[in-house]
């Protein structure tokens, strides 16, 4: 029986452990903190619990639109964070149950020795394969006063709804926290060089007015230089990237949301002969320079730092070890930003398509023309479909609107198999549904839309 050691029990590690056990492998799972990793305990899940609280508050505030009388909602931070903890605890308990009697969980810090075996609490675990899934941690900018800012970990631990908040960083993490805390009552300013640089620029341009409408001030084109504390307030000072236009923003709290870096310190990587410059180096099969050691997820150099990327890669690796690999397109990665409403995409942005000099056709369909969106009172947003001009092959789909993260899942399987607009439109879409907005955008791209000119 193959003996497998997995370091890290985040989405990559614990899902790999369960799948390896299903395949008949003997599995040790090493984790020095909580099961579930950053995603469950300090990232995806707790933030979405808070996001939902903001969504409920918005719904109550707009109740009269539906003929429902409701008093102005108030936020109880203690109960709000208690619910967040309850959700996290329930899911962590579910992981414990899934691992029980299948996987040996070792609650200790683990490292590799020269033979690429695992050392934890002074004991050596001799294994045939090792999977490194150690994840990532928040990055602080090396600026004066940077230690005064909270990272996302510390903001969640604070159990506060700050009266005012400056968010340094306009990427996914920064904008999600900005949207959530603005919805819950904070006065929010985002100071950033670029706004969602990963996303399609046309979509970001349409998103920006919605952020402003929600009370979020966006100061884009700025590089933070320092944070100063005066009494109970902090001032973020920044310089403009192109203009002589300094910026100073004062708030009760500052969130540093400037990315994450791989966790790879004190893991014995050098001892085991594994290359690790700004992340662990792997080949196309996720194997490191040490033949029996593989790595997935956030700890891999240049990898997309998303939970579903880590888990998909991890399951692929253990299935390959067991000779049971399934076909899966690991290069096509759907992304969702939980704003109000959500932004999601899969495939290339229009900028990327242009850079590759691919002849294409891009068409959009407004959520305001979708019947289900109107009934929900969720008319903000648009669906954008980018397809190759000659054969309609889907190159990128971008959705800004209610439940965009769920809607993008209808497109991803078609694109994963290299499908085109006609392939997507082979199936009937239920009515009334938000999914019709995606179908209409596809029809428009093909030149056959019914509800759009």
């Amino acid at each position: 029986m193959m003996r497998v050691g997995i370091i890290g029990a985040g989405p990559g590690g614990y899902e790999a452990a369960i799948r390896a056990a299903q395949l008949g492998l003997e599995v040790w799972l090493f984790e020095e903190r909580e099961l579930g990793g950053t995603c469950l305990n300090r990232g995806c899940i707790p933030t979405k619990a808070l996001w939902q609280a903001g969504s409920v508050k918005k719904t109550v505030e707009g109740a009269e639109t539906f003929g429902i009388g409701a008093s102005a909602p108030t936020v109880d931070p203690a109960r709000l964070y208690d619910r967040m903890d309850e959700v996290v605890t329930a899911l962590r308990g579910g992981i414990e149950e899934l691992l029980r009697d299948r996987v040996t969980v070792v609650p200790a810090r683990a490292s590799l020795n020269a033979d690429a075996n695992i050392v934890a609490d002074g004991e050596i675990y001799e294994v045939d394969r090792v999977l490194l899934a150690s994840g990532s941690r928040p990055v602080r900018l090396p600026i004066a006063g940077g230690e005064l800012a909270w990272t996302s970990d510390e903001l969640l631990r604070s159990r506060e709804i700050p009266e005012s908040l400056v968010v340094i960083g306009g990427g996914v993490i920064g904008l999600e926290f900005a949207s959530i805390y603005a919805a819950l009552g904070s006065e929010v300013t985002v100071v950033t060089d670029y706004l969602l640089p990963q996303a399609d620029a046309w979509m970001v341009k349409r998103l920006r007015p919605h952020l402003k409408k929600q009370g979020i001030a966006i100061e884009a084109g700025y590089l933070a230089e320092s944070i100063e504390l005066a009494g109970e307030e902090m001032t973020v000072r920044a310089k403009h990237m192109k203009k002589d236009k300094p910026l100073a923003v004062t708030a009760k709290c500052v969130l540093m949301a400037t990315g994450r870096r791989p966790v790879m310190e004190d893991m014995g990587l050098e001892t085991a002969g594994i290359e690790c410059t700004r992340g662990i180096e792997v080949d196309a099969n996720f194997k490191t320079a040490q033949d029996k050691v593989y790595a997935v997820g956030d700890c891999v150099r240049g990898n997309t730092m998303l939970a579903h990327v880590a888990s998909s890669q991890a399951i692929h690796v253990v299935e390959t070890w067991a000779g049971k690999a399934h076909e899966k397109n690991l290069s096509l990665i759907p992304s969702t930003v939980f704003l109000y409403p959500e932004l999601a995409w899969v495939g290339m942005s229009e900028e990327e398509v242009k850079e590759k000099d691919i002849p294409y056709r891009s068409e959009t369909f407004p959520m305001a023309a979708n019947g289900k969106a109107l009934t929900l009172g969720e008319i903000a947003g648009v669906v954008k479909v980018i397809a190759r001009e000659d054969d309609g092959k889907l190159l990128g789909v971008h959705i800004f609107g209610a439940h965009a993260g769920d809607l993008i899942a209808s497109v991803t399987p078609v694109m994963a198999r290299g499908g085109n607009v006609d392939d997507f439109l082979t199936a009937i879409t239920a009515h009334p549904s938000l999914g019709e907005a995606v179908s209409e955008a596809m029809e428009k791209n093909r030149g056959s839309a019914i509800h759009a000119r």
Side-chain angles (χ1 to χ4, degrees):
M1 178 186 295
M2 183 183 290
R3 296 166 299 173
V4 173
I6 300 172
I7 298 178
Y14 88 76
E15 292 195 31
I18 292 169
R19 186 66 184 123
Q22 290 173 343
L23 293 167
L25 310 185
E26 184 177 0
V27 187
W28 286 282
L29 177 62
F30 301 84
E31 175 56 65
E32 64 176 335
R33 299 182 71 177
E34 314 94 330
L35 294 175
T38 293
C39 175
L40 173 54
N41 297 286
R42 297 170 296 281
C44 321
I45 299 303
T47 55
K48 299 320 163 285
L50 297 181
W51 178 87
Q52 181 59 24
S55 182
V56 170
K57 181 171 178 283
K58 285 178 171 289
T59 298
V60 175
E61 288 170 342
E64 290 189 2
T65 301
F66 298 88
I68 306 297
S71 58
T74 58
V75 176
D76 179 350
R79 179 64 194 119
L80 184 146
Y81 281 101
D82 282 347
R83 181 181 180 274
M84 179 189 81
D85 291 341
E86 289 163 8
V87 171
V88 170
T89 300
L91 288 171
R92 194 188 303 133
I95 294 173
E96 291 171 358
E97 176 60 26
L98 290 168
L99 294 169
R100 184 173 58 83
D101 300 329
R102 290 172 159 182
V103 173
T104 300
V105 178
V106 182
R109 184 169 184 80
S111 62
L112 301 178
N113 63 17
D115 296 321
N117 288 316
I118 296 175
V119 181
D121 277 348
E123 184 175 348
I124 297 176
Y125 296 80
E126 295 187 1
V127 293
D128 301 304
R129 293 283 189 277
V130 175
L131 181 65
L132 304 176
S134 52
S136 62
R137 62 169 59 95
V139 171
R140 286 184 186 274
L141 291 178
I143 60 174
E147 72 282 355
L148 297 171
W150 280 340
T151 65
S152 55
D153 290 359
E154 293 153 343
L155 179 55
L156 290 173
R157 283 200 303 266
S158 75
R159 299 178 67 83
E160 295 180 20
I161 306 299
E163 178 184 327
S164 52
L165 175 68
V166 173
V167 179
I168 300 176
V172 172
I173 295 172
L175 281 194
E176 285 195 351
F177 274 101
S179 295
I180 290 166
Y181 282 88
L184 295 173
S186 299
E187 181 182 331
V188 179
T189 301
V190 175
V191 178
T192 186
D193 48 1
Y194 300 103
L195 196 64
L196 279 181
Q198 314 95 316
D200 183 274
W202 188 90
M203 298 296 281
V204 173
K205 185 176 181 180
R206 273 129 196 91
L207 162 68
R208 193 163 176 167
H210 291 275
L211 297 174
K212 185 177 180 180
K213 186 177 179 181
Q214 291 162 28
I216 302 170
I218 303 292
E219 298 289 355
Y222 282 94
L223 298 172
E225 291 188 299
S226 66
I227 304 172
E228 302 167 2
L229 177 62
E232 295 183 353
E233 293 190 324
M234 286 179 271
T235 298
V236 174
R237 299 191 183 279
K239 67 176 180 180
H240 198 276
M241 296 166 66
K242 297 179 180 179
K243 306 173 185 176
D244 182 15
K245 187 181 176 184
L247 175 72
V249 185
T250 299
K252 294 286 187 181
C253 297
V254 176
L255 170 65
M256 189 87 75
T258 49
R260 301 179 66 85
R261 66 162 54 98
V263 172
M264 54 186 184
E265 301 83 6
D266 303 320
M267 291 175 60
L269 300 179
E270 295 86 353
T271 301
I274 295 170
E275 298 175 32
C276 50
T277 304
R278 299 176 65 184
I280 299 170
E281 300 280 357
V282 299
D283 65 14
N285 297 310
F286 307 101
K287 186 170 71 174
T288 69
Q290 223 294 345
D291 280 348
K292 76 175 188 181
V293 180
Y294 293 66
V296 296
D298 289 11
C299 65
V300 172
R301 181 175 181 177
N303 220 0
T304 301
M305 291 185 175
L306 292 171
H308 47 281
V309 170
S311 57
S312 296
Q313 292 174 348
I315 289 171
H316 171 76
V317 168
V318 296
E319 288 183 342
T320 300
W321 290 346
K324 301 287 186 180
H326 292 85
E327 180 186 352
K328 193 154 193 174
N329 185 336
L330 295 175
S331 64
L332 186 70
I333 301 169
S335 298
T336 303
V337 191
F338 283 82
L339 310 173
Y340 302 100
E342 300 167 22
L343 174 67
W345 66 88
V346 63
M348 292 186 281
S349 66
E350 192 163 350
E351 292 70 41
E352 290 173 307
V353 174
K354 288 178 179 178
E355 286 174 10
K356 293 179 183 293
D357 200 26
I358 302 172
Y360 71 95
R361 179 183 174 95
S362 175
E363 293 291 348
T364 63
F365 185 83
M367 297 300 291
N370 175 263
K372 181 68 178 291
L374 282 164
T375 65
L376 293 174
E378 295 275 8
I379 61 172
V382 62
V383 179
K384 178 179 182 178
V385 172
I386 305 169
R388 201 158 60 191
E389 193 171 52
D390 57 354
D391 60 3
K393 180 181 178 180
L394 290 168
L395 302 174
V397 176
H398 306 261
I399 305 173
F400 174 44
H403 301 282
D406 299 313
L407 293 174
I408 207 70
S410 67
V411 179
T412 306
V414 178
M415 292 183 64
R417 290 188 171 274
N420 60 23
V421 170
D422 288 341
D423 293 325
F424 183 89
L425 292 172
T426 299
I428 295 174
T429 302
H431 173 78
S433 69
L434 295 173
E436 288 178 292
V438 181
S439 296
E440 289 279 7
M442 294 282 181
E443 293 277 13
K444 193 175 177 186
N445 195 286
R446 190 171 67 176
S448 56
I450 303 298
H451 297 99
R453 289 184 178 273

